[in-house]
Amino acid sequence: MGFSEDNLTGVILALLSSGFIGASFIIKKKGLRRAAAASGVRAGVGGYTYLLEPLWWIGMIIMIVGEAANFIAYAFAPAVLVTPLGALSIIVSAVLAHFILKERLHKLGVLGCVMCIAGSVIIVVHAPRELPITSVQEIWSMATQPAFLLYMGSVIVLVFILVIHFAPRCGHSNVLVFTGICSLMGSLSALDTFNTAIVSPIYYVMFTTLTILASVIMFKDWNGQSGATIISEICGFVVVLSGTILLQVAKDFERSSSFRANHTPGSPSLSTRLCTGNGELAKYNDEEVPPEEICLRIQESY
């Protein structure tokens, strides 16, 4: 199926959104650093002076503009096309951090960037044409079709099972519990319990997959497409997800390498941090590091 004008508009908006959002992370981080240097108290340890820093607000405004562009993109192109392109914001952030914040991009990170770009190109080339919606009644008809109602019912049941049964028992030791709830219902509680470098790729994979699944069921995005085209889209999606995970792994590897010279032999490994609830604090249990240095490292990891 040909690439429509609406799809092109959606792609442009999604790319602009990724650029704005990726750049906003860097601008806000520079604002946080400037505020911390001026006040001596970092945001991660209770400082609020960043709220008086114009650079931080500029970053926040740019992020809002990016999110608005992303929201509008869904009006022109299907979620199968728009949602995976959000991974490009990670590339923008990683590249700008390399040049502006002097945070070296590891070779694994470069490979992850290339994979994200390649996967995005595959998705764009094979993207389906969005079906036109002419009335509210048509949306209601799609939302009440048996397949979508079955999906919604399954989501509600699964969330209740995760919240009532699994969360009290293993929510603080298994990252999939809270990220599963986050992806299904939009909450962000997992970030309070686990390392951001662990949560981010898992949340992105689960949220993007479920968003595309819901869109395919409700709007029938793949109707009229050949099996080969659908398989190509799925392959592109898998490549983007793999690149995203690789980028996050590279970030975690770079942080681990930068701290390795100061770690004692008994310093806990990544697998240990995954099983200790809040990995950010467990990293330094066996390390003789001043408290202020621990806070600095934790803040830098974000």
Side-chain angles (χ1 to χ4, degrees):
M1 189 172 291
F3 196 74
S4 68
E5 184 177 342
D6 282 347
N7 275 9
L8 179 59
T9 303
V11 168
I12 293 173
L13 286 170
L15 292 176
L16 288 174
S17 169
S18 294
F20 281 128
I21 293 174
S24 72
F25 290 138
I26 306 304
I27 296 173
K28 288 197 297 181
K29 188 163 186 177
K30 284 188 71 69
L32 288 172
R33 288 183 174 181
R34 183 181 294 181
S39 66
V41 181
R42 304 178 67 87
V45 291
Y48 296 99
T49 54
Y50 68 92
L51 295 175
L52 302 176
E53 174 56 51
L55 196 60
W56 186 87
W57 282 107
I58 291 174
M60 179 60 69
I61 292 171
I62 291 176
M63 173 175 281
I64 293 172
V65 172
E67 293 292 355
N70 186 66
F71 179 78
I72 297 172
Y74 283 99
F76 293 93
V80 175
L81 174 59
V82 175
T83 306
L85 294 180
L88 297 179
S89 64
I90 302 175
I91 297 178
V92 174
S93 177
V95 173
L96 290 179
H98 178 79
F99 290 104
I100 298 176
L101 301 180
K102 307 304 179 184
E103 297 178 358
R104 191 173 70 87
L105 185 60
H106 192 268
K107 291 180 180 179
L108 286 177
V110 175
L111 178 60
C113 290
V114 172
M115 291 177 67
C116 286
I117 294 173
S120 298
V121 170
I122 295 173
I123 292 172
V124 169
V125 170
H126 297 91
R129 187 189 299 272
E130 187 171 37
L131 299 176
I133 298 176
T134 57
S135 65
V136 176
Q137 182 63 37
E138 190 174 354
I139 297 178
W140 176 254
S141 177
M142 292 178 176
T144 55
Q145 60 183 305
F148 190 71
L149 290 177
L150 178 62
Y151 171 79
M152 289 298 296
S154 301
V155 167
I156 293 172
V157 170
L158 185 56
V159 167
F160 271 104
I161 292 174
L162 288 172
V163 171
I164 296 174
H165 180 75
F166 288 100
R169 291 171 172 79
C170 54
H172 294 278
S173 59
N174 191 327
V175 70
L176 294 178
V177 176
F178 282 141
T179 47
I181 298 173
C182 291
S183 303
L184 291 166
M185 299 302 291
S187 171
L188 294 176
S189 60
L191 292 174
D192 292 330
T193 306
F194 295 96
N195 191 325
T196 307
I198 298 169
V199 174
S200 296
I202 297 176
Y203 176 74
Y204 177 80
V205 169
M206 296 179 70
F207 174 77
T208 305
T209 302
L210 292 169
T211 299
I212 291 177
L213 178 61
S215 177
V216 167
I217 294 173
M218 181 173 178
F219 297 105
K220 296 180 170 58
D221 292 329
W222 284 342
N223 279 11
Q225 287 195 297
S226 66
T229 302
I230 294 174
I231 291 175
S232 296
E233 290 175 28
I234 294 174
C235 289
F237 178 54
V238 171
V239 171
V240 170
L241 294 183
S242 302
T244 303
I245 293 174
L246 198 57
L247 269 169
Q248 294 293 341
V249 169
K251 288 181 182 179
D252 201 35
F253 176 80
E254 196 64 36
R255 294 184 192 118
S256 299
S257 298
S258 65
F259 296 157
R260 192 168 296 152
N262 295 323
H263 277 193
T264 60
S267 183
S269 63
L270 176 61
S271 59
T272 304
R273 286 188 277 136
L274 283 168
C275 300
T276 53
N278 193 338
E280 295 291 349
L281 296 178
K283 285 188 292 186
Y284 308 106
N285 280 347
D286 299 326
E287 185 180 354
E288 294 182 0
V289 180
E292 61 273 13
E293 179 65 16
I294 293 177
C295 293
L296 176 62
R297 293 184 183 181
I298 292 175
Q299 178 65 15
E300 286 295 331
S301 71
Y302 289 93

